Amino acid sequence: MPMPDTIFKMNNVSFRFPDDQSPTLSSISFAIERGERVAISGPSGSGKSTLLYLLNRLYPANCDGIVNGEIHIFGKAADSYAPGEINHRVATVFQDPDSQFCMPTVEEELAFTLENLNTPASEMEERIRHVLDITGLSHLRHVSIQTLSGGMKQRVATACALVMNPEVLLLDEPISHLDPYTAKEFILWLDQLQKKFHLTIVAVEHRLDYWGTFFDREIKVTSDGRISEDAIFKPHETLRYPLRLNSILDPTVLIATGLSVNVKGNTLLHPLSMTAKKGECIVIAGPNGSGKSTLVKAICGIYKKEAVKFASDPCGYVLQSPEFLFLTSTVLDELAFGGTSSQQELNDLIESLRLTDIKEHNPFAVSHGQKRRVAIGAMLADKRNVLFLDEPTSGQDEAALLELFRLIDSRLDQGDTVFIVTHDMEFAAAVADSVVLLKDGRMTGKFISERVWQDVELLASHNLLAPKGVTRRAESFA
Amino acid sequence: MRNLLHDMNPAMKFITVTIAMLGLAFFFNPWTPLLVFISILLMQFVFSSINWKLWTLYMFPFVLGAFGYLWTTIVFSAETGGTVIWSLFGHDVTDRQLALALSLSFRVLAFSSLSLLFALTTDPVKFVMSLMQQLKLSPKLAYGVLVGYQFLPVLRDEFFQIQQAHRLRGTAVEKYWWQRLLNIRRIIIPMLAGAVRKAERSAFAMEARGFTGEARKEFYQPVSIKPKDFALSAAILLLVILSSITGTVLSS
């Protein structure tokens, strides 16, 4: 019997969550053939993930959503499949590496998957061995999943998907929590697996510039949930940031000499020295576990530090999850909490951070970008004009990145000093005046931004990729 | 030998310990719980390789509690009659009062040592798997518990992160424990919001791998019941029964 070659077929499909007035997806029609590599792109909140969940049958059952139109999977109507029936043929890898596992070790997690499929116990051993072998993860078999890095967790999640011998692999923004270096390795690894398994791959992704030529087709979804384009995939150019003018002013706001951090006899950070000026933007970069967060927390006074000399203006710290900072129930109260700024100063801040429309809202209930602006506002209202942003670019789409760029640019123009911990070197190249590189708890040095991007070896030794835009920028300066 | 208690089938161990505790509840003399306490301790010495430092640490609050019982029962209990054996600050302590007080505090020790016998020799993951395989616990509940268990370290990290962030915002470090307890809600709310999101994602990930919550037929690592599990179970129960008989005889 010949295998049906159309894997997914949607005909004029619309989808609405029961609590929403307007549909999340409307008039969606496409067909995906066996062996294709399809990217579904679009801005955050455009319903890309919803579309993916309609393909693996997580929706509509899990949200009581209302589906109109026809969805066919392997030539059969989607709603004719029993719960769980389709999932071993259509496997999924999700975005968050931290919440995809329920067992302690890699082996047990794979066994969990096989047990779900009622695989005979006698076959399990061989299938686990085989999938670990083919994915190159055999050495992790008895390792506790929680101790793995994000990139390795995503590989384990993929192995768990592949152990079911699926025909289709769905990817829901699989690299959005990975740093670019790890993401690139993950994509290369996935490329080889696709060839070995002859998989059909459908991926939801908003940072397609990292994927090179991986896909052969791209379906673009607009913010109101319609398909705007369905065409052959063209490699995406790196996001173009506007040029930023140097805004460094003379006064020094931070001097650290011989700064180090020791916790219970372990040296987390070896003595380092640096200075920062008013209006300067400094990117802190390095491999995972190199001491970036430790450095930031030490300067901000969260960790106990030792230093020969340390002097700094008050420091503000904005975490990767800005809502961790919130203490009150309106945006306005959040800014006024410290009580350091006058009413006039608060009003100016609210205006310059564009918080006027949401000042009565609950800070926990606004969008991620707005949360970050509120957190920055709260820091500035406390007169903490040396700002530290921890991984602000992680998981952001292009619009959010541009907004972040403008936000940082405007703070620098106002004379604030901004430190950014990031792996995103394109973003760093766009904003940074200087770059602090860390490795194994030691500072390699503080470099002038333009020079460090040329030194590919130096970057590679810190698990960083040279920003793609640099050559372009160098030309424009010539 | 020293692994016997650790290797015992967890569900069976759980049932045995529960039965022992229920049985113990019917004996009101001071000797029975004391003998149970001593014999459980000896058993752990011989058949387990637990960390005794940890045992001492966990046992400490129970010992305090036991002493509290002893003290309050002696000082505040109603007049029950009996011979006065001891006079303290003009307060008479009768032999019956003493017996009652000792019985209560030894019970605390016996119960806590039984609980620790279970807790310190059982791997939580294996316990849940065993509950599912031997006692037909629903896989939905079982894997729910396991996911929660995986989240614990993540939640702990988050708790400290939020606490640090709040300190940075200038929330004063409170002087009294009750103020700190009251302010914990500020930390808990963002944590709960995050936990709900994580829970949903985990549920999706599990379902996408074919988890339906139905009873499973095949197990990669079956948790079995072996003859030595019955032997150990019998041994624990026998110790309790012998202690009960001896205790009753000694106190009559």
Side-chain angles (χ1 to χ4, degrees), chain A residues 174-207:
Chain A
I175 59 166
S176 74
H177 287 264
L178 308 184
D179 62 79
Y181 188 83
T182 316
K184 193 178 164 189
E185 288 182 333
F186 180 79
I187 292 165
L188 284 173
W189 177 80
L190 202 64
D191 183 57
Q192 289 169 356
L193 285 178
Q194 192 272 342
K195 286 174 188 150
K196 269 185 210 158
F197 282 81
H198 305 290
L199 290 163
T200 308
I201 290 186
V202 182
V204 160
E205 186 57 68
H206 61 229
R207 300 274 335 246

Side-chain angles (χ1 to χ4, degrees), chain B residues 7 55 60 65-67 69 83 86 103 110-112 139-140 145 166 182 184 192 214 241:
Chain B
D7 291 343
W55 184 89
F60 185 68
F67 184 74
Y69 265 116
T83 333
W86 193 21
S103 155
F111 280 122
S112 45
K140 273 188 196 172
V145 171
H166 285 183
L182 218 68
I184 266 185
L192 278 180
E214 281 164 27
I241 292 168

Side-chain angles (χ1 to χ4, degrees), chain B:
Chain B
M1 268 297 259
R2 306 215 68 166
N3 285 328
L4 271 180
L5 277 172
H6 299 268
D7 291 343
M8 187 179 171
N9 179 289
M12 192 130 174
K13 204 188 320 180
F14 180 69
I15 293 175
T16 310
V17 167
T18 313
I19 293 175
M21 284 192 187
L22 286 177
L24 201 59
F26 291 100
F27 293 89
F28 297 99
N29 67 69
W31 287 105
T32 305
L34 178 65
L35 289 172
V36 170
F37 176 64
I38 294 170
S39 47
I40 290 297
L41 217 62
L42 283 175
M43 186 159 189
Q44 267 177 296
F45 258 121
V46 181
F47 294 134
S48 81
S49 48
I50 60 165
N51 179 349
W52 286 97
K53 245 188 209 165
L54 207 65
W55 184 89
T56 319
L57 194 73
Y58 285 140
M59 205 59 196
F60 185 68
F62 294 111
V63 173
L64 270 186
F67 184 74
Y69 265 116
L70 185 76
W71 182 251
T72 45
T73 324
I74 288 179
V75 177
F76 299 111
S77 71
E79 291 298 327
T80 46
T83 333
V84 175
I85 49 164
W86 193 21
S87 225
L88 190 74
F89 306 121
H91 184 91
D92 294 339
V93 180
T94 66
D95 56 351
R96 274 195 216 168
Q97 269 177 333
L98 186 68
L100 185 68
L102 283 175
S103 155
L104 277 174
S105 47
F106 287 149
R107 267 171 173 228
V108 173
L109 293 182
F111 280 122
S112 45
S113 67
L114 272 168
S115 319
L116 285 182
L117 168 93
F118 179 79
L120 292 177
T121 63
T122 311
D123 171 38
V125 176
K126 218 172 143 198
F127 177 48
V128 174
M129 295 312 262
S130 167
L131 283 180
M132 191 164 61
Q133 295 181 31
Q134 266 83 50
L135 301 183
K136 305 294 166 225
L137 178 74
S138 141
K140 273 188 196 172
L141 199 62
Y143 284 102
V145 171
L146 288 179
V147 170
Y149 186 66
Q150 300 305 314
F151 276 162
L152 281 182
V154 180
L155 289 179
R156 191 193 54 201
D157 290 350
E158 249 174 42
F159 182 88
F160 288 124
Q161 260 199 10
I162 298 175
Q163 201 178 34
Q164 288 171 349
H166 285 183
R167 294 229 172 109
L168 193 74
R169 289 295 306 279
T171 54
V173 180
E174 286 82 5
K175 245 184 181 164
Y176 303 105
W177 63 269
W178 53 270
Q179 284 175 321
R180 256 175 296 188
L181 206 66
L182 218 68
N183 278 327
I184 266 185
R185 82 195 138 86
R186 283 187 177 154
I187 300 181
I188 297 290
I189 290 170
M191 272 179 79
L192 278 180
V196 170
R197 264 185 306 227
K198 276 200 200 69
E200 193 189 19
R201 284 186 209 146
S202 290
F204 273 19
M206 286 164 79
E207 222 174 293
R209 289 207 239 122
F211 182 75
T212 51
E214 281 164 27
R216 11 193 74 202
K217 299 180 192 82
E218 301 285 344
F219 292 100
Y220 179 61
Q221 284 163 325
V223 183
S224 55
I225 297 187
K226 297 188 193 79
K228 67 175 181 191
D229 293 322
F230 285 102
L232 268 172
S233 174
I236 295 174
L237 291 178
L238 202 68
L239 279 178
V240 175
I241 292 168
L242 280 177
S243 310
S244 310
I245 295 171
T246 324
T248 318
V249 172
L250 278 175
S251 58
S252 61

Side-chain angles (χ1 to χ4, degrees), chain A residues 71-121:
Chain A
I71 307 174
H72 284 269
I73 305 175
F74 300 116
K76 259 172 75 181
D79 48 13
S80 67
Y81 287 98
E85 192 187 345
I86 201 73
N87 296 108
H88 73 102
R89 298 177 74 186
V90 181
T92 316
V93 175
F94 294 87
Q95 139 184 66
D96 183 359
D98 288 322
S99 50
Q100 289 192 56
F101 306 105
C102 58
M103 300 297 284
T105 69
V106 175
E107 179 187 43
E108 286 167 304
E109 189 68 36
L110 287 164
F112 163 78
T113 312
L114 291 173
E115 286 172 5
N116 288 336
L117 307 179
N118 285 322
T119 313

